[in-house]
Amino acid sequence: MCANTGTGDAFNNQGDATADFNSIITIAANIENSGGGNAVDISGRDADNVTFNGTITDTGATTEAIRLVNNSGGTIAFNEQVDIDSVGAG
């Protein structure tokens, strides 16, 4: 279980093509966010895969819940239930 009740993100990954910060990531745990951040925030990836094999739940009221921006390559897969109950800004 990966849980967040604070202001940060429950799961955050920022790639960087120039520094080769991309890698294959597999998350086999449930992710819960009830705080001010996102349940999942992934940005700047240009290669390799990110796979979520657990449920994702977001009940926070201030963010996008799942934020995927500036990703130009690779695959981001959600293989289980995603439950978003938020009134986010995004």
Side-chain angles (χ1 to χ4, degrees):
M1 166 80 66
C2 178
N4 175 48
T5 59
T7 59
D9 300 320
F11 176 85
N12 183 296
N13 175 250
Q14 295 183 357
D16 184 332
T18 58
D20 194 23
F21 287 160
N22 295 304
S23 59
I24 296 170
I25 299 172
T26 300
I27 306 296
N30 296 336
I31 296 175
E32 292 184 5
N33 179 57
S34 61
N38 301 298
V40 174
D41 186 341
I42 301 174
S43 63
R45 294 185 62 88
D46 68 351
D48 295 323
N49 300 331
V50 179
T51 304
F52 294 91
N53 290 324
T55 61
I56 298 173
T57 303
D58 192 299
T59 57
T62 60
T63 60
E64 296 91 358
I66 296 177
R67 181 175 179 263
L68 309 173
V69 296
N70 299 324
N71 297 296
S72 61
T75 299
I76 301 170
F78 298 91
N79 294 333
E80 294 292 333
Q81 179 176 334
V82 176
D83 181 19
I84 299 170
D85 185 17
S86 65
V87 186

